[in-house]
Amino acid sequence: MSSNTTASSGEVGKEKSAKSKPSKVIEGDYQAPEFIHIVVTDAQRERDHVTYKITTSTTFPEYSTKEFSVRRRYKEFVWLRDHLKQQLALKPKAIKFGELHPLPGDSLSSLFGKGRFEPEFIEDRRVKLEQFCNSVANHNYFRFIPALHKFLQDNDVTFGSSGVDSPAL
């Protein structure tokens, strides 16, 4: 019977210590979850096109810092999407991680008139570009593509203009 008494007093001791600790702190091997969040803001008209500020906050180890910003124009987003599409064609099994998110399209008025400079058009495009960026940056395959890293953090590279179709990656 003494073994039962010992067991029950051991259980009582465990209950007391469990109740006295406010919460369990995890030490050692715990890592905060990785994340990346991209915000597209501050659309600015520059002569014949609009640029967007892309601000990235991340803990992904593929990036050199935790927060950074660049400015890009729409045709650079088109270049990035085309490049990612080419990369996906090289690894068709990567489609299991999900499709490549679409970019917002052009409208007739944006191609042939002042429509691309109208506030409603710019805001709609900004929202969709932000969705595109977050989708590809959080994609299990695309997130490791070096061109995406350069696109999001390298101010010194212009994508898809003046014959610069493939920056040094």
PDB file of all heavy atoms in Angstrom, residues 146-162:
ATOM      1  N   PRO A 146      16.305  32.204 -58.014  1.00  0.00           N
ATOM      2  CA  PRO A 146      17.132  33.399 -57.787  1.00  0.00           C
ATOM      3  C   PRO A 146      16.592  34.674 -58.443  1.00  0.00           C
ATOM      4  O   PRO A 146      16.761  35.766 -57.892  1.00  0.00           O
ATOM      5  CB  PRO A 146      18.492  33.009 -58.387  1.00  0.00           C
ATOM      6  CG  PRO A 146      18.518  31.513 -58.296  1.00  0.00           C
ATOM      7  CD  PRO A 146      17.104  31.080 -58.524  1.00  0.00           C
ATOM      8  N   ALA A 147      15.951  34.567 -59.592  1.00  0.00           N
ATOM      9  CA  ALA A 147      15.412  35.759 -60.261  1.00  0.00           C
ATOM     10  C   ALA A 147      14.356  36.440 -59.393  1.00  0.00           C
ATOM     11  O   ALA A 147      14.258  37.672 -59.394  1.00  0.00           O
ATOM     12  CB  ALA A 147      14.815  35.393 -61.613  1.00  0.00           C
ATOM     13  N   LEU A 148      13.572  35.670 -58.652  1.00  0.00           N
ATOM     14  CA  LEU A 148      12.579  36.255 -57.747  1.00  0.00           C
ATOM     15  C   LEU A 148      13.281  37.053 -56.652  1.00  0.00           C
ATOM     16  O   LEU A 148      12.870  38.162 -56.318  1.00  0.00           O
ATOM     17  CB  LEU A 148      11.687  35.175 -57.139  1.00  0.00           C
ATOM     18  CG  LEU A 148      10.690  35.661 -56.087  1.00  0.00           C
ATOM     19  CD1 LEU A 148       9.684  36.636 -56.691  1.00  0.00           C
ATOM     20  CD2 LEU A 148       9.972  34.477 -55.447  1.00  0.00           C
ATOM     21  N   HIS A 149      14.355  36.503 -56.108  1.00  0.00           N
ATOM     22  CA  HIS A 149      15.104  37.198 -55.057  1.00  0.00           C
ATOM     23  C   HIS A 149      15.653  38.522 -55.577  1.00  0.00           C
ATOM     24  O   HIS A 149      15.548  39.553 -54.914  1.00  0.00           O
ATOM     25  CB  HIS A 149      16.253  36.335 -54.532  1.00  0.00           C
ATOM     26  CG  HIS A 149      15.813  34.974 -54.104  1.00  0.00           C
ATOM     27  ND1 HIS A 149      16.660  33.896 -54.082  1.00  0.00           N
ATOM     28  CD2 HIS A 149      14.606  34.502 -53.720  1.00  0.00           C
ATOM     29  CE1 HIS A 149      16.005  32.818 -53.684  1.00  0.00           C
ATOM     30  NE2 HIS A 149      14.752  33.166 -53.454  1.00  0.00           N
ATOM     31  N   LYS A 150      16.234  38.503 -56.775  1.00  0.00           N
ATOM     32  CA  LYS A 150      16.763  39.738 -57.371  1.00  0.00           C
ATOM     33  C   LYS A 150      15.638  40.724 -57.660  1.00  0.00           C
ATOM     34  O   LYS A 150      15.788  41.916 -57.425  1.00  0.00           O
ATOM     35  CB  LYS A 150      17.534  39.425 -58.653  1.00  0.00           C
ATOM     36  CG  LYS A 150      18.905  38.873 -58.413  1.00  0.00           C
ATOM     37  CD  LYS A 150      19.700  38.871 -59.710  1.00  0.00           C
ATOM     38  CE  LYS A 150      21.138  38.581 -59.472  1.00  0.00           C
ATOM     39  NZ  LYS A 150      21.870  39.703 -58.908  1.00  0.00           N
ATOM     40  N   PHE A 151      14.517  40.226 -58.172  1.00  0.00           N
ATOM     41  CA  PHE A 151      13.384  41.083 -58.492  1.00  0.00           C
ATOM     42  C   PHE A 151      12.899  41.831 -57.258  1.00  0.00           C
ATOM     43  O   PHE A 151      12.579  43.016 -57.320  1.00  0.00           O
ATOM     44  CB  PHE A 151      12.245  40.234 -59.074  1.00  0.00           C
ATOM     45  CG  PHE A 151      11.016  41.017 -59.443  1.00  0.00           C
ATOM     46  CD1 PHE A 151      10.918  41.629 -60.686  1.00  0.00           C
ATOM     47  CD2 PHE A 151       9.949  41.130 -58.567  1.00  0.00           C
ATOM     48  CE1 PHE A 151       9.777  42.347 -61.041  1.00  0.00           C
ATOM     49  CE2 PHE A 151       8.812  41.847 -58.907  1.00  0.00           C
ATOM     50  CZ  PHE A 151       8.730  42.463 -60.145  1.00  0.00           C
ATOM     51  N   LEU A 152      12.857  41.145 -56.126  1.00  0.00           N
ATOM     52  CA  LEU A 152      12.321  41.743 -54.902  1.00  0.00           C
ATOM     53  C   LEU A 152      13.306  42.622 -54.145  1.00  0.00           C
ATOM     54  O   LEU A 152      12.885  43.506 -53.398  1.00  0.00           O
ATOM     55  CB  LEU A 152      11.797  40.645 -53.963  1.00  0.00           C
ATOM     56  CG  LEU A 152      10.569  39.887 -54.449  1.00  0.00           C
ATOM     57  CD1 LEU A 152      10.246  38.738 -53.496  1.00  0.00           C
ATOM     58  CD2 LEU A 152       9.375  40.817 -54.595  1.00  0.00           C
ATOM     59  N   GLN A 153      14.613  42.408 -54.340  1.00  0.00           N
ATOM     60  CA  GLN A 153      15.542  43.146 -53.482  1.00  0.00           C
ATOM     61  C   GLN A 153      16.664  43.900 -54.188  1.00  0.00           C
ATOM     62  O   GLN A 153      17.356  44.684 -53.541  1.00  0.00           O
ATOM     63  CB  GLN A 153      16.134  42.221 -52.417  1.00  0.00           C
ATOM     64  CG  GLN A 153      16.981  41.089 -52.922  1.00  0.00           C
ATOM     65  CD  GLN A 153      17.444  40.163 -51.822  1.00  0.00           C
ATOM     66  OE1 GLN A 153      17.322  40.459 -50.635  1.00  0.00           O
ATOM     67  NE2 GLN A 153      17.979  39.022 -52.192  1.00  0.00           N
ATOM     68  N   ASP A 154      16.839  43.741 -55.484  1.00  0.00           N
ATOM     69  CA  ASP A 154      17.963  44.375 -56.160  1.00  0.00           C
ATOM     70  C   ASP A 154      17.506  45.593 -56.956  1.00  0.00           C
ATOM     71  O   ASP A 154      16.934  45.475 -58.037  1.00  0.00           O
ATOM     72  CB  ASP A 154      18.658  43.368 -57.075  1.00  0.00           C
ATOM     73  CG  ASP A 154      20.014  43.842 -57.552  1.00  0.00           C
ATOM     74  OD1 ASP A 154      20.284  45.056 -57.471  1.00  0.00           O
ATOM     75  OD2 ASP A 154      20.800  42.991 -57.998  1.00  0.00           O
ATOM     76  N   ASN A 155      17.786  46.781 -56.438  1.00  0.00           N
ATOM     77  CA  ASN A 155      17.412  48.031 -57.102  1.00  0.00           C
ATOM     78  C   ASN A 155      18.229  48.310 -58.357  1.00  0.00           C
ATOM     79  O   ASN A 155      17.838  49.122 -59.187  1.00  0.00           O
ATOM     80  CB  ASN A 155      17.578  49.218 -56.139  1.00  0.00           C
ATOM     81  CG  ASN A 155      16.394  49.358 -55.218  1.00  0.00           C
ATOM     82  OD1 ASN A 155      15.260  49.414 -55.661  1.00  0.00           O
ATOM     83  ND2 ASN A 155      16.671  49.418 -53.920  1.00  0.00           N
ATOM     84  N   ASP A 156      19.372  47.676 -58.494  1.00  0.00           N
ATOM     85  CA  ASP A 156      20.280  47.981 -59.593  1.00  0.00           C
ATOM     86  C   ASP A 156      20.006  47.177 -60.861  1.00  0.00           C
ATOM     87  O   ASP A 156      20.746  47.312 -61.831  1.00  0.00           O
ATOM     88  CB  ASP A 156      21.732  47.750 -59.146  1.00  0.00           C
ATOM     89  CG  ASP A 156      22.111  48.656 -57.984  1.00  0.00           C
ATOM     90  OD1 ASP A 156      21.554  49.770 -57.902  1.00  0.00           O
ATOM     91  OD2 ASP A 156      22.925  48.235 -57.152  1.00  0.00           O
ATOM     92  N   VAL A 157      18.997  46.333 -60.850  1.00  0.00           N
ATOM     93  CA  VAL A 157      18.696  45.504 -62.015  1.00  0.00           C
ATOM     94  C   VAL A 157      17.337  45.893 -62.572  1.00  0.00           C
ATOM     95  O   VAL A 157      16.374  46.061 -61.839  1.00  0.00           O
ATOM     96  CB  VAL A 157      18.688  44.000 -61.633  1.00  0.00           C
ATOM     97  CG1 VAL A 157      18.313  43.146 -62.827  1.00  0.00           C
ATOM     98  CG2 VAL A 157      20.038  43.579 -61.089  1.00  0.00           C
ATOM     99  N   THR A 158      17.293  46.058 -63.898  1.00  0.00           N
ATOM    100  CA  THR A 158      16.029  46.306 -64.590  1.00  0.00           C
ATOM    101  C   THR A 158      15.705  45.050 -65.377  1.00  0.00           C
ATOM    102  O   THR A 158      16.552  44.532 -66.106  1.00  0.00           O
ATOM    103  CB  THR A 158      16.164  47.514 -65.539  1.00  0.00           C
ATOM    104  OG1 THR A 158      16.555  48.644 -64.770  1.00  0.00           O
ATOM    105  CG2 THR A 158      14.851  47.804 -66.231  1.00  0.00           C
ATOM    106  N   PHE A 159      14.502  44.564 -65.228  1.00  0.00           N
ATOM    107  CA  PHE A 159      14.102  43.309 -65.844  1.00  0.00           C
ATOM    108  C   PHE A 159      13.282  43.547 -67.107  1.00  0.00           C
ATOM    109  O   PHE A 159      12.304  44.278 -67.068  1.00  0.00           O
ATOM    110  CB  PHE A 159      13.265  42.480 -64.863  1.00  0.00           C
ATOM    111  CG  PHE A 159      14.033  42.072 -63.640  1.00  0.00           C
ATOM    112  CD1 PHE A 159      14.143  42.930 -62.563  1.00  0.00           C
ATOM    113  CD2 PHE A 159      14.668  40.851 -63.586  1.00  0.00           C
ATOM    114  CE1 PHE A 159      14.865  42.566 -61.436  1.00  0.00           C
ATOM    115  CE2 PHE A 159      15.392  40.478 -62.472  1.00  0.00           C
ATOM    116  CZ  PHE A 159      15.485  41.337 -61.390  1.00  0.00           C
ATOM    117  N   GLY A 160      13.699  42.908 -68.204  1.00  0.00           N
ATOM    118  CA  GLY A 160      12.893  42.891 -69.402  1.00  0.00           C
ATOM    119  C   GLY A 160      12.889  44.162 -70.222  1.00  0.00           C
ATOM    120  O   GLY A 160      12.063  44.304 -71.098  1.00  0.00           O
ATOM    121  N   SER A 161      13.797  45.103 -69.978  1.00  0.00           N
ATOM    122  CA  SER A 161      13.811  46.307 -70.799  1.00  0.00           C
ATOM    123  C   SER A 161      15.188  46.492 -71.418  1.00  0.00           C
ATOM    124  O   SER A 161      16.192  46.035 -70.881  1.00  0.00           O
ATOM    125  CB  SER A 161      13.440  47.528 -69.974  1.00  0.00           C
ATOM    126  OG  SER A 161      14.432  47.790 -69.023  1.00  0.00           O
ATOM    127  N   SER A 162      15.227  47.163 -72.519  1.00  0.00           N
ATOM    128  CA  SER A 162      16.480  47.485 -73.218  1.00  0.00           C
ATOM    129  C   SER A 162      17.331  46.235 -73.477  1.00  0.00           C
ATOM    130  O   SER A 162      18.546  46.272 -73.360  1.00  0.00           O
ATOM    131  CB  SER A 162      17.300  48.492 -72.408  1.00  0.00           C
ATOM    132  OG  SER A 162      16.545  49.621 -72.116  1.00  0.00           O
TER     133      SER A 162
END
